[in-house]
Amino acid sequence: MTGKQLLPLLQKISIAWLKTPPHSIPKLNYARAPALVRVYSVLPPSIAYLEKERAVAIEAVESASRVCQAVFKRLVNEETLTKKDKSPVTVADFGAQAIINQILEQSFPNDPIVGEEDSKDLQGDEGKVLCEKVVGLVNTAVEQPMSVDEVLRAIDRGQYEGSGSGRYWTLDPIDGTKGFLRGEQYAVCLALVIDGTVRLGVLSSPNMPWKMSEPDGERGVLMVAVEGQGAFQRKLGGGSELPISTSSVADTAHATFCESVESGHTSHTDNANIARLLGITNQSLRMDGQCKYGAVARGDADIYLRLPTSETYVDKIWDHGAGNIIVREAGGRVADVYGRPLDFSLGRTLRANRGVVAANVNVFDAVIAAIRETLDKKSKA
């Protein structure tokens, strides 16, 4: 039987396949499931699209997440928060980027990386103490100890400028630094961009509750999506992947916003005006980093707004790459405030876009209309 002849069969069992992510099928025991393994062996190559990249990205993000958790437990305390000392998150930021870049280089040495950090603050006498902490942290997570030069080089692999052709990775080692310091929400985010489009995203939220309805319950969520394969989540540290999907809320009056904790990242006043136009009265879910995308992707919230706080601010691609594809593969829509898709082909920023909107498909158009009305009134005031 050829791969083409199998397509009707695959359509009939697609629901069952969603419960078993495609990348896990080759690991099945042939003796226990011979028919399914035989099916897999003749499937078109596209079924295993980005299988290796998916596995490596999960390993990289999970390794970096463990390091971030260790830094928080060891270095963040009440005195740190009182003094607003950002050194722990700085150590974790550099360490996480070095670890992710090193793991990517081992598997994909020719892939460039767009990262948030560079090593200039770790150079020379002024950066010596911080550099020693970062190197020590990295060496708790890698198999082969890395020298200072190797760690600095790994960090600086993230200086690629981006492109509209070819492939590259983009990462935010800690998205939501203030959330990290507060012991609240932050995310470790990695995405693969091919020919200007995000094709793969992995997002770890170490402090996100496994069930949002149980905020004091088990924490730590990893989400992953590959173009055309759906979105999944599992517990951080391992376990079975489960498919996730955006909510089915169709009446905006019953919808819930997800927005940034920090007012510098989005206009809370504009958000409130938009909520009024949409008839939304539910309390907003506020959290830091791309965890907001995750909340929309699994139906904890219905709408994520990141409205521009100034005419000159431009979003960075690493702040949206992973979350963007996870929401889309979960059945949602992502665009800027004018309804235009996010353009990852123009370098390190989303300079062709203004703001970000992510929502389930049922309310998306109504949200865009309310945003336009709000911004039009604001511009005429």
Side-chain angles (χ1 to χ4, degrees):
M1 185 179 290
T2 66
K4 185 177 292 186
Q5 289 171 322
L6 280 169
L7 290 180
L9 172 62
L10 292 177
Q11 290 172 347
K12 292 180 181 179
I13 63 172
S14 60
I15 294 176
W17 273 52
L18 279 177
K19 297 179 180 179
T20 303
H23 75 285
S24 68
I25 292 174
K27 299 177 183 178
L28 290 174
N29 184 290
Y30 186 93
R32 296 179 61 188
L36 186 53
V37 175
R38 290 193 190 103
V39 167
Y40 182 86
S41 68
V42 293
L43 289 179
S46 60
I47 294 298
Y49 178 57
L50 300 180
E51 179 183 3
K52 180 180 178 181
E53 287 85 348
R54 188 187 199 273
V56 171
I58 289 174
E59 176 194 355
V61 168
E62 202 149 36
S63 296
S65 298
R66 287 194 295 268
V67 163
C68 293
Q69 290 172 299
V71 169
F72 182 84
K73 291 177 181 177
R74 192 166 74 238
L75 299 180
V76 178
N77 53 44
E78 187 173 342
E79 183 179 359
T80 300
L81 298 177
T82 301
K83 293 181 178 180
K84 297 184 178 180
D85 178 8
K86 294 184 179 180
S87 59
V89 75
T90 303
V91 172
D93 239 346
F94 283 123
Q97 179 155 318
I99 290 165
I100 290 174
N101 287 357
Q102 178 70 6
I103 291 174
L104 290 178
E105 183 177 25
Q106 289 171 352
S107 294
F108 309 107
N110 297 321
D111 284 1
I113 302 169
V114 177
E116 183 177 17
E117 309 297 342
D118 61 58
S119 70
K120 66 178 183 295
D121 289 339
L122 305 179
Q123 307 279 356
D125 292 338
E126 291 184 358
K128 184 177 181 180
V129 173
L130 180 58
C131 183
E132 289 176 350
K133 290 181 179 179
V134 172
V135 173
L137 177 66
V138 170
N139 283 326
T140 66
V142 295
E143 293 182 2
Q144 296 293 330
M146 297 175 65
S147 68
V148 171
D149 288 343
E150 288 172 332
V151 170
L152 297 182
R153 187 180 69 83
I155 293 170
D156 286 334
R157 284 201 73 230
Q159 295 311 295
Y160 182 61
E161 288 301 316
S163 174
S165 62
R167 54 183 265 164
Y168 66 87
W169 299 85
T170 182
L171 78 137
D172 193 338
I174 296 184
D175 188 15
T177 54
K178 292 184 179 179
F180 174 88
L181 288 171
R182 291 193 303 266
E184 296 176 358
Q185 302 305 325
Y186 69 96
V188 180
C189 311
L190 179 62
L192 177 62
V193 181
I194 301 177
D195 295 334
T197 300
V198 181
R199 313 286 183 175
L200 161 67
V202 179
L203 186 159
S204 160
S205 302
N207 290 333
M208 178 176 277
W210 178 247
K211 295 181 179 179
M212 199 62 75
S213 60
E214 300 175 6
D216 297 324
E218 189 172 3
R219 292 173 175 261
V221 179
L222 184 139
M223 300 183 188
V224 57
V226 175
E227 184 180 48
Q229 295 180 17
F232 300 85
Q233 72 170 0
R234 68 163 168 79
K235 295 178 181 178
L236 190 59
S240 300
E241 290 185 7
L242 301 173
I244 56 175
S245 61
T246 55
S247 74
S248 59
V249 170
D251 185 346
T252 58
H254 299 148
T256 299
F257 269 147
C258 189
E259 56 186 356
S260 299
V261 174
E262 302 297 328
S263 59
H265 294 165
T266 190
S267 173
H268 287 166
T269 300
D270 288 342
N271 283 10
N273 290 333
I274 292 165
R276 179 179 52 78
L277 289 174
L278 295 172
I280 295 175
T281 58
N282 291 336
Q283 184 176 357
S284 294
L285 180 63
R286 289 189 175 179
M287 55 178 64
D288 296 281
Q290 289 182 61
C291 300
K292 295 183 287 294
Y293 279 107
V296 172
R298 67 180 196 171
D300 295 326
D302 311 293
I303 305 163
Y304 161 40
L305 297 183
R306 183 181 172 101
L307 301 183
T309 56
S310 74
E311 292 294 327
T312 58
Y313 182 79
V314 179
D315 279 291
K316 310 300 189 295
I317 63 171
W318 53 78
D319 285 327
H320 302 281
N324 171 59
I325 190 170
I326 289 171
V327 168
R328 289 191 290 110
E329 286 297 315
R333 292 178 64 183
V334 182
D336 69 5
V337 297
Y338 300 112
R340 302 174 301 203
L342 302 188
D343 188 346
F344 290 85
S345 70
L346 302 176
R348 297 172 69 87
T349 68
L350 297 172
R351 64 177 183 270
N353 298 110
R354 186 165 184 244
V356 176
V357 182
N360 81 37
V361 295
N362 296 326
V363 301
F364 183 87
D365 289 337
V367 173
I368 292 294
I371 291 172
R372 288 176 177 170
E373 181 176 342
T374 298
L375 296 183
D376 285 347
K377 286 182 178 179
K378 188 176 180 180
S379 65
K380 295 175 183 178

